Amino acid sequence: MATTTTAAVTKFFSNSKNTVKTCQCSLQNLCVSLSSSKPTFTSITYFSISIPSFKSWKMSPSSKRFRRLSCRAISTATTTNYEFSDGSSEVELRIPLGSQVFKSSKDIFVDADGTSLIVRVRSSGFQTTLIETNHLFHKIKPSETIWYIDDDQLVVNLKKQDPDLKWPDIVESWESLTAGAMQLLKGTSIYIVGDSTEINQKVARELAVGLGYTPLDTQELLETFAKQTIDSWVLAEGSDDVADAESAILEGLSSHVRAVVSTLGGKLGAAGRADIWQHLYAGFTVWLSQTEAMGEDLAKAEVRKHIQDGSLAYTNADVVVKVQGWDADHAKSVAQASLSALKQLILSDKELPGKKSLYIRLGCRGDWPNIKPPGWDPSAEMDTSS
């Protein structure tokens, strides 16, 4: 039986006048809703993806914190050979036509809409799909799409909605995401958290290799330092001692850049405890959340309950990937879903990497996302509250 992986991403934004917009993007099949405001914990963006199949569902808010999002099933991408170039404000796609003969322009069908593109041609009574994808690398302006024939090539020009974003390729894929992420992450590290140490490690490794980042594993670092396994450490000293030790390691890693850090799973780790998250805020955090929920409605309700309840420290994460079942062979797929979600998060607020850098320079004092001025003393504020 094929393993099905369901993913979800949660992002937080400030500003009481949030505007919500919906776009299509990729990892086989995907829908995402974005808010254009700055980060804090007042509104939520939710992303759903299923591997290998996608089912539509709707998030019905039970409070004003939630935004409505409807997703429709979309087809997988088919492509042919093509040449691609990014010309700043627009991207150009050149598709070879070979020896095909066309009677009129009606024999060529080009349809671009948001983040989708379909190109079909009809020759000698037969219709051929040259490219069909719902997963353009980012959003375009459909009304400004033009096409023409240049010798034996069909040339399609697509106007980018974000001219500052460099497209590595026409479609969003693992290769284009890893290439394009460098301009967005700007060296910011990524922390993988969740209940399973093994899943954290596998997905972190895939991300590190794809991005060219340094892979760091807190379990390996702790066991090297203590000269014993985590299990024996817990038996000897207790889980609190292990979590405190991991927190000290995360403090040391918080000043590192271009690293993907896999953390201990569950209550053993620092990430499972809200009071020692301050150093995790130094990078983008991805929560790999396992679920036994059968069907999208139950999985959706589970995520919403976690966020409303707030009892899980993992809800502090920037990105939540919900995993139903696990197979190490799907690690890259989960990594791709995580990277796609991070891309959407950063494009919704391009100042985020800079804010992470500022947070580090000011000492990772735990004031994320509302960074306080230099000289702010968190302990003094706690005394005042008391």
Side-chain angles (χ1 to χ4, degrees):
M1 177 181 294
T3 301
T4 299
T5 304
T6 303
V9 56
T10 308
K11 295 170 285 189
F12 305 89
F13 301 92
S14 65
N15 193 332
S16 59
K17 297 182 179 179
N18 283 328
T19 57
V20 177
K21 47 190 177 181
T22 302
C23 67
Q24 305 272 351
C25 61
S26 76
L27 179 57
Q28 290 188 346
N29 303 296
L30 173 153
C31 283
V32 62
S33 171
L34 295 177
S35 170
S36 60
S37 52
K38 297 180 181 179
T40 194
F41 298 99
T42 56
S43 70
I44 294 173
T45 297
Y46 192 88
F47 154 103
S48 171
I49 186 169
S50 183
I51 307 167
S53 61
F54 174 84
K55 296 181 179 179
S56 63
W57 53 275
K58 180 183 292 183
M59 177 178 176
S60 300
S62 59
S63 72
K64 293 182 180 179
R65 295 179 61 211
F66 291 90
R67 305 298 185 190
R68 186 178 298 273
L69 170 63
S70 298
C71 297
R72 295 180 179 179
I74 50 182
S75 62
T76 57
T78 60
T79 60
T80 187
N81 294 328
Y82 60 80
E83 297 175 12
F84 171 78
S85 61
D86 185 324
S88 184
S89 64
E90 63 183 27
V91 292
E92 182 179 272
L93 188 65
R94 287 179 169 266
I95 306 173
L97 296 174
S99 59
Q100 299 183 76
V101 179
F102 307 103
K103 295 180 179 179
S104 70
S105 60
K106 294 182 179 180
D107 290 331
I108 298 178
F109 175 79
V110 177
D111 182 32
D113 183 12
T115 57
S116 66
L117 175 66
I118 301 174
V119 179
R120 297 190 180 102
V121 298
R122 183 166 52 248
S123 177
S124 303
F126 295 96
Q127 181 171 278
T128 303
T129 299
L130 299 182
I131 183 169
E132 180 175 1
T133 180
N134 303 340
H135 316 138
L136 294 175
F137 188 75
H138 195 49
K139 297 174 67 176
I140 61 168
K141 299 177 180 179
S143 61
E144 298 185 40
T145 299
I146 62 172
W147 63 267
Y148 59 91
I149 295 178
D150 181 17
D151 291 333
D152 61 347
Q153 291 183 320
L154 175 63
V155 182
V156 183
N157 282 359
L158 305 170
K159 185 73 70 172
K160 296 191 292 186
Q161 285 215 4
D162 185 349
D164 295 328
L165 178 65
K166 183 70 175 177
W167 287 33
D169 197 358
I170 190 69
V171 297
E172 186 186 77
S173 62
W174 174 248
E175 290 75 20
S176 63
L177 279 170
T178 51
M182 302 307 294
Q183 63 181 306
L184 299 173
L185 291 170
K186 300 187 186 304
T188 308
S189 292
I190 299 172
Y191 295 86
I192 307 298
V193 305
D195 282 325
S196 171
T197 301
E198 177 196 353
I199 295 176
N200 296 348
Q201 291 170 335
K202 298 289 187 183
V203 175
R205 171 65 64 173
E206 293 289 350
L207 282 170
V209 171
L211 294 172
Y213 273 25
T214 301
L216 295 171
D217 181 354
T218 60
Q219 177 179 353
E220 181 181 331
L221 294 172
L222 285 167
E223 291 181 343
T224 300
F225 167 76
K227 295 182 174 57
Q228 62 179 327
T229 66
I230 295 297
D231 290 340
S232 62
W233 191 344
V234 171
L235 288 175
E237 305 292 341
S239 58
D240 287 347
D241 195 67
V242 174
D244 289 340
E246 186 182 32
S247 180
I249 283 182
L250 291 172
E251 180 178 1
L253 297 179
S254 63
S255 60
H256 285 54
V257 295
R258 296 180 179 84
V260 181
V261 182
S262 62
T263 63
L264 291 177
K267 293 295 184 181
L268 293 178
R273 308 180 182 209
D275 58 331
I276 46 181
W277 254 71
Q278 68 185 80
H279 301 295
L280 287 167
Y281 293 132
F284 289 111
T285 48
V286 179
W287 173 19
L288 304 180
S289 174
Q290 292 179 281
T291 180
E292 295 181 358
M294 300 300 293
E296 63 270 1
D297 289 336
L298 293 177
K300 170 195 65 177
E302 185 178 70
V303 174
R304 187 168 60 229
K305 181 178 182 298
H306 288 325
I307 296 168
Q308 289 176 327
D309 183 33
S311 60
L312 291 178
Y314 296 134
T315 57
N316 290 319
D318 299 297
V319 169
V320 181
V321 177
K322 209 127 187 77
V323 181
Q324 185 182 64
W326 170 249
D327 185 328
D329 291 340
H330 288 299
K332 181 178 283 189
S333 296
V334 178
Q336 184 175 339
S338 304
L339 200 52
S340 177
L342 284 172
K343 185 191 80 169
Q344 296 303 311
L345 171 65
I346 297 171
L347 287 176
S348 70
D349 185 352
K350 295 180 182 178
E351 296 179 2
L352 279 174
K355 288 186 67 176
K356 293 286 186 182
S357 177
L358 175 62
Y359 178 78
I360 294 170
R361 294 199 303 273
L362 291 176
C364 298
R365 301 169 299 180
D367 51 344
W368 182 265
N370 301 312
I371 301 176
K372 306 297 184 184
W376 175 73
D377 184 358
S379 60
E381 186 166 295
M382 289 179 63
D383 292 341
T384 303
S385 299
S386 301

